[in-house]
Amino acid sequence: MITTEATEDKAAAAAKVTINITGSEAVLKALITEDVKTIFGYPGGAIMPIYDALYDYNDRLKHILVRHEQGAIHAAQGFARSSGEVGIVFATSGPGATNLVTGLADAMIDSTPLVCITGQVFAHLLGSDAFQETDIINITTPVTKWNYQITDPSEIPSVLAKAFYIAKTGRPGPVLIDITKNAQLQKFDYEGYTKCDHIRSYRPKPIIRKEPIIEAASLINAAKKPFVIFGQGVILGSAENEFKAFIEKGGFPAAWTILGMSAIPTDHPLAVGMLGMHGNYAPNVFTNDCDVLIAIGMRFDDRVTGRLDKYAKQAKIIHLDIDPSEIDKNVKTEISIWGDCKETLPLLTKLIEEKQHTEWLNEFRKLEAKEVEVVINDELNPTTEKLSMGEVIKTINEITKGDAILVTDVGQHQMITCRYAKYSKSRSNITSGGLGTMGFALPAAIGAKFGAPDRTVIAIIGDGGIQMTIQELGTIMQSKINVKIVILNNEFLGMVRQWQQLFHEKRYSFVDITSPDYVQVAKGYYISGNKISKREELIDAITTMLNHDGSYLLEIMVGKENNVFPMVPQGCSVSEIRLK
Amino acid sequence: MKQEYTITVYTENQVGLLNRIAIIFSRRKINVESLNTSPTEVESVHRFTIVIDETEEVVKKLCRQIEKQVDVLKAYYNTNEEIIWQELALYKVPTDVIAEEVKVERLLREHGASAVVIRKDYTVFQVSGHREETENLIKVLEPYGLIEFVRSARVAIIKDSNGFHEKLKEFEHQQPREEVIENEYLNKGQTIFTM
Ligand SMILES: Cc1ncc(C[n+]2csc(CCOP(=O)(O)OP(=O)(O)O)c2C)c(N)n1
């Protein structure tokens, strides 16, 4: 079927033959030519013509019916993050479209490629406060890389081609295309679909310039204490191998941001852990001790830098990034290498000297030992009666051998997971980094599984976050997708409680949250589950969950008032990181 | 140090782009002193002229954020010394006062004002020039019953610009040619890396 479709299209394009089709059909033909397999969506009045056309394309395009449009967009994000492809969302006008806003903001700040298609009222009704009309273009302008409203079906092929090109090239991001109902219904002369490969006002990546690379190499070669920090740019650029070659040749200790995590295996000999507010001790301290700081595909978020005027002041900073607006935005750099790190890293690797910085690396290991002694031991091997979040993650590591994709929500469980998870493959750590969106994990895990069907996907969620998008259990039920759900229940909005304890004299204001019987709720959705609270049950419970044929929900009761440490308190410098 | 900067943005002619550009300023609570949209010497290319009072550091970052927008071709910023600029002001004054007071006519002439409309009840004068010039005339006319005043946004020509025809040709190429400086702030050298 697919080949016939494509051949027909190509033949039509070559012969300049046009076929008379509706705008809706043109939308679906665009998706097929862009090799889309999965759509996450929810129908409604203004997008009904597209859904009507989809009825006939059911064999070529898989549509996953979610339970809320926020679920659709987070699922598309999970899909994009696990597969590296563009995530696709369908939603209707008005409330359907506005329900996408949180996901767009999340995808924008975390550079996730999405194409969202929303229905809109008939063009002649625009601006008349028609039923389910919202100005979604203006609402979503600050949270999209590009958006566009189509009112004429003949625009559909070229606009969608642009949408895909913009979403996935350069620094990726979400694109929203709003299509009025008349444009979906009307027929037009379709000339085939041509993929976009150039927009004159948009340069996704530059050609690489020689000087900064040569300068950077000589700075690096003279460094006594070079330190590499990297972000999601390495993953988005599929530059994992180039990155590894770079740090291995130079012998640089390397630390990741939360989104850069899993780009190299967590047990890589040069890996020194996670940066940032709840990151590891050594990389935070040595940010303010290294002599050359090499930042790759990361954007110096305030959760990473802490107090800016005390950030790496002693170091010469080299910044490699594809987005020129990130260079010198938060941190002044000595040398900037603008470009795709898949291209720039090999050039730089070629010019650097082969070295080992054994002593320098040992300094990291020494602080690491201190962190193990003061924080990590207690978290991973607690003597308390209640389970700790850390020992759950440790057990998951041991059983999955670091091969699973872990999708986390937002809060203490997220920080603990990112601190202690072991990963052997890239694209394994999926979390809402920049926006910190509670409710992200469950739908994102569904999408992640569709994006990487051969991998085990485990969602790790707090008792607060699960209740924000719990309706997506319905999506799991209907699509029969296999995701494992671990709820780490501390009977609190834990992360907020921790701040109230540390910075608001333990005034626990509205963080005491109650939960339903999750196992019963899951059962209501025909999903198997179990609840445990004892250490002796842990290994068995996780093994049972992973061996179960199909989705599974495991609720684990953990210590109520545990805190995540180390911590860089707000307003402090990274080197003032507290171990307790 | 804060000072007046004029930002010149070359863009595609796209609905919604005005909003995209405007929110770059409003999101950062930066007051836009003046904003003008205009066609350019190149058909299909539009030009925004935006005036703000900020430090160069901030202006530079704003330009990068503007240039990051997909439909923006190029954003430049300049100090007042680097541009030729004008604003147009209109003044509505009662005709009888002007007719009676010879002084007023002289004042208007001194300020380079010319009459646009003369009616029995009122006369509209126009002045183009820098802000201080148009502002001064308000003070002068106030005692004589200035009825209405309005001033346009700034339009500015960059002294050492060669226009946009050549630049646009660079953008039409799928790959930039070697000698093209893609980003004035980032491309320190010009040589392309070849291995
Ligand atoms: C949508 C949304 N609302 C509020 C917050 C603020 N917030 C951050 S963490 C947190 C607590 C999360 O509690 P829970 O899901 O139980 O996870 P825990 O911290 O206990 O692991 C809250 C309320 C947020 N990040 N996102």
Side-chain angles (χ1 to χ4, degrees):
Chain A
M1 271 316 258
I2 299 166
T3 43
T4 336
E5 186 82 30
T7 334
E8 252 174 37
D9 264 25
K10 240 183 248 154
K16 286 266 175 257
V17 187
T18 60
I19 42 173
N20 202 247
I21 60 170
T22 63
S24 298
E25 267 185 279
V27 169
L28 301 185
K29 280 178 179 294
L31 299 189
I32 287 168
T33 320
E34 292 288 353
D35 224 13
V36 168
K37 301 277 182 319
T38 314
I39 300 160
F40 301 92
Y42 208 90
I47 198 169
M48 280 182 66
I50 290 178
Y51 271 86
D52 184 63
L54 193 58
Y55 194 74
D56 292 328
Y57 280 74
N58 208 11
D59 51 341
R60 284 154 283 176
L61 290 165
K62 180 159 51 186
H63 177 276
I64 307 303
L65 181 68
V66 294
R67 293 299 180 269
H68 184 294
E69 290 85 355
Q70 184 183 356
I73 190 159
H74 289 330
Q77 289 179 272
F79 177 90
R81 295 269 285 271
S82 74
S83 68
E85 289 161 28
V86 179
I88 310 294
V89 179
F90 281 180
T92 192
S93 68
T98 56
N99 277 344
L100 300 180
V101 172
T102 303
L104 288 169
D106 196 293
M108 185 70 177
I109 202 161
D110 281 354
S111 313
T112 311
L114 300 180
V115 171
C116 301
I117 293 174
T118 50
Q120 181 56 281
V121 300
F122 284 89
H124 71 270
L125 292 174
L126 287 172
S128 71
D129 302 323
F131 178 65
Q132 292 193 330
E133 183 201 356
T134 53
D135 182 359
I136 201 63
I137 292 296
N138 276 310
I139 289 174
T140 60
T141 294
V143 291
T144 49
K145 186 173 173 187
W146 190 65
N147 60 9
Y148 189 85
Q149 184 177 64
I150 295 176
T151 49
D152 187 306
S154 65
E155 293 179 279
I156 287 173
S158 62
V159 170
L160 282 181
K162 259 178 97 171
F164 275 90
Y165 179 63
I166 292 166
K168 66 187 176 195
T169 55
R171 178 175 175 178
V175 171
L176 182 135
I177 304 299
D178 194 36
I179 311 179
T180 57
K181 199 166 177 179
N182 60 292
Q184 299 170 39
L185 287 168
Q186 281 161 9
K187 289 196 161 186
F188 72 109
D189 290 333
Y190 175 72
E191 295 172 0
Y193 182 88
T194 321
K195 285 193 192 182
C196 175
D197 60 3
H198 176 59
I199 297 170
R200 68 177 188 180
S201 59
Y202 169 70
R203 183 78 75 209
K205 58 181 186 189
I207 39 175
I208 311 302
R209 306 284 161 166
K210 200 172 189 169
E211 285 83 352
I213 293 183
I214 293 170
E215 281 171 40
S218 64
L219 200 57
I220 292 170
N221 287 336
K224 296 273 176 299
K225 297 174 170 184
F227 181 29
V228 168
I229 58 179
F230 67 96
Q232 199 192 190
V234 173
I235 299 172
L236 290 170
S238 305
E240 292 92 344
N241 291 335
E242 290 79 1
F243 177 77
K244 238 191 321 184
F246 172 69
I247 57 168
E248 284 170 4
K249 183 169 181 194
F252 313 123
W256 48 80
T257 68
I258 192 169
L259 293 185
M261 191 174 191
S262 85
I264 56 170
T266 39
D267 62 0
H268 189 282
L270 291 166
V272 295
M274 183 167 79
L275 296 157
M277 185 175 268
H278 290 295
N280 291 105
Y281 191 51
N284 276 307
V285 169
F286 287 136
T287 297
N288 280 0
D289 194 35
C290 61
D291 57 0
V292 175
L293 186 65
I294 309 154
I296 303 171
M298 56 84 73
R299 61 185 177 85
F300 296 102
D301 177 81
D302 59 278
R303 284 294 193 268
V304 160
T305 62
R307 216 177 129 157
L308 266 183
D309 60 358
K310 290 189 180 172
Y311 182 78
K313 286 296 171 199
Q314 81 296 339
K316 297 225 157 73
I317 300 176
I318 301 169
H319 191 184
L320 290 78
D321 208 281
I322 198 165
D323 178 355
S325 74
E326 288 300 345
I327 289 167
D328 290 342
K329 187 185 81 178
N330 295 337
V331 170
K332 187 91 191 96
T333 50
E334 189 82 12
I335 298 168
S336 54
I337 301 179
W338 176 33
D340 183 342
C341 63
K342 193 166 178 80
E343 296 168 13
T344 54
L345 278 173
L347 301 173
L348 193 54
T349 305
K350 206 164 177 203
L351 296 184
I352 60 169
E353 290 159 9
E354 203 164 332
K355 268 192 191 160
Q356 280 180 337
H357 294 276
T358 320
E359 238 169 81
W360 172 228
L361 193 61
N362 276 342
E363 305 248 339
F364 281 83
R365 299 303 173 213
K366 268 187 233 153
L367 287 201
E368 201 174 286
K370 193 166 167 197
E371 187 181 344
V372 168
E373 190 191 312
V374 183
V375 185
I376 300 179
N377 262 342
D378 282 345
E379 185 62 46
L380 299 188
N381 312 297
T383 48
T384 51
E385 190 206 328
K386 289 274 181 66
L387 284 165
S388 75
M389 291 184 178
E391 65 184 317
V392 174
I393 304 305
K394 185 181 92 172
T395 310
I396 291 175
N397 289 337
E398 285 164 1
I399 299 176
T400 63
K401 306 206 164 45
D403 281 346
I405 292 177
L406 302 188
V407 185
T408 48
D409 213 73
V410 174
Q412 291 184 314
H413 66 280
Q414 173 192 35
M415 291 300 128
I416 294 285
T417 305
C418 294
R419 285 180 50 76
Y420 298 109
K422 298 278 178 227
Y423 292 120
S424 58
K425 294 191 180 79
S426 185
R427 297 190 175 276
S428 294
N429 187 50
I430 298 179
T431 194
S432 166
L435 203 66
T437 306
M438 284 174 71
F440 175 84
L442 184 59
I446 296 170
K449 182 69 182 180
F450 278 106
D454 298 334
R455 298 189 64 187
T456 301
V457 175
I458 309 173
I460 294 168
I461 317 181
D463 48 320
I466 184 76
Q467 296 188 64
M468 282 213 176
T469 47
I470 198 165
Q471 76 284 347
E472 298 309 327
L473 290 174
T475 308
I476 294 175
M477 167 182 72
Q478 189 165 0
S479 67
K480 304 201 168 56
I481 191 80
N482 179 357
V483 292
K484 313 300 183 188
I485 304 153
V486 174
I487 298 174
L488 295 179
N489 188 347
N490 54 11
E491 299 169 82
F492 269 123
L493 297 173
M495 184 57 93
V496 179
R497 187 209 54 74
Q498 173 170 346
W499 283 50
Q500 288 176 344
Q501 179 188 340
L502 297 177
F503 312 117
H504 297 270
E505 297 91 36
K506 263 198 165 190
R507 287 153 56 88
Y508 288 171
S509 182
F510 300 99
V511 287
D512 185 347
I513 189 167
T514 57
S515 281
D517 181 336
Y518 292 116
V519 177
Q520 281 302 315
V521 172
K523 203 173 161 202
Y525 284 101
Y526 308 99
I527 296 168
S528 308
N530 187 16
K531 174 177 178 171
I532 60 161
S533 53
K534 294 204 185 69
R535 191 154 291 128
E536 309 84 81
E537 303 169 300
L538 189 56
I539 295 176
D540 272 357
I542 292 175
T543 310
T544 307
M545 170 183 82
L546 291 172
N547 289 340
H548 182 80
D549 183 18
S551 286
Y552 194 93
L553 182 146
L554 176 62
E555 179 186 6
I556 304 178
M557 301 306 290
V558 294
K560 283 188 72 162
E561 295 189 58
N562 295 0
N563 287 334
V564 187
F565 276 108
M567 177 174 196
V568 180
Q570 215 161 29
C572 289
S573 150
V574 281
S575 49
E576 291 167 337
I577 183 167
R578 283 169 56 176
L579 277 173
K580 38 168 114 193
Chain B
M1 187 197 58
K2 278 195 185 185
Q3 69 177 102
E4 218 166 67
Y5 282 95
T6 300
I7 300 172
T8 303
V9 190
Y10 289 94
T11 74
E12 299 292 355
N13 180 14
Q14 195 76 263
V15 178
L17 193 54
L18 173 61
N19 187 31
R20 247 184 207 281
I21 291 175
I23 60 179
I24 289 172
F25 297 90
S26 56
R27 176 176 170 191
R28 295 170 177 82
K29 280 225 150 203
I30 290 170
N31 205 26
V32 172
E33 307 282 341
S34 155
L35 187 154
N36 181 265
T37 71
S38 151
T40 63
E41 62 279 8
V42 184
E43 205 192 317
S44 82
V45 173
H46 267 234
R47 177 172 180 155
F48 288 72
T49 307
I50 302 163
V51 183
I52 59 167
D53 203 34
E54 265 304 337
T55 62
E56 180 169 8
E57 171 91 8
V58 170
V59 176
K60 196 188 276 185
K61 286 182 189 174
L62 288 168
C63 281
R64 288 190 192 170
Q65 294 296 332
I66 293 171
E67 220 167 77
K68 184 166 159 175
Q69 304 307 316
V70 169
D71 294 312
V72 168
L73 289 149
K74 201 84 195 123
Y76 300 101
Y77 67 88
N78 293 97
T79 60
N80 286 348
E81 291 72 52
E82 294 164 345
I83 55 169
I84 310 287
W85 57 277
Q86 292 281 286
E87 291 164 353
L88 176 76
L90 298 177
Y91 311 78
K92 189 200 270 180
V93 212
T95 303
D96 49 358
V97 178
I98 305 166
E100 281 155 31
E101 303 236 10
V102 195
K103 225 167 94 198
V104 178
E105 214 196 315
R106 203 187 64 231
L107 282 171
L108 286 165
R109 238 183 296 119
E110 271 173 22
H111 282 85
S114 57
V116 186
V117 167
I118 307 173
R119 286 176 32 144
K120 250 199 229 119
D121 45 349
Y122 65 80
T123 300
V124 175
F125 291 97
Q126 74 165 43
V127 167
S128 55
H130 287 190
R131 180 154 307 181
E132 312 80 65
E133 295 163 340
T134 53
E135 221 133 75
N136 280 343
L137 190 54
I138 304 181
K139 288 191 204 95
V140 170
L141 289 178
E142 253 162 10
Y144 303 103
L146 174 65
I147 303 169
E148 213 177 319
F149 167 77
V150 64
R151 183 172 54 212
S152 76
R154 170 182 298 190
V155 290
I157 293 272
I158 302 169
K159 286 180 185 166
D160 66 1
S161 158
N162 294 323
F164 212 68
H165 274 294
E166 284 307 309
K167 199 82 195 167
L168 190 64
K169 275 187 208 145
E170 293 169 9
F171 289 110
E172 302 279 2
H173 289 280
Q174 191 156 5
Q175 272 297 313
R177 285 164 304 123
E178 294 205 3
E179 61 275 21
V180 170
I181 310 258
E182 289 177 86
N183 188 314
E184 278 75 2
Y185 318 122
L186 293 181
N187 289 161
K188 288 184 199 130
Q190 296 183 37
T191 342
I192 290 173
F193 207 109
T194 40
M195 284 176 68

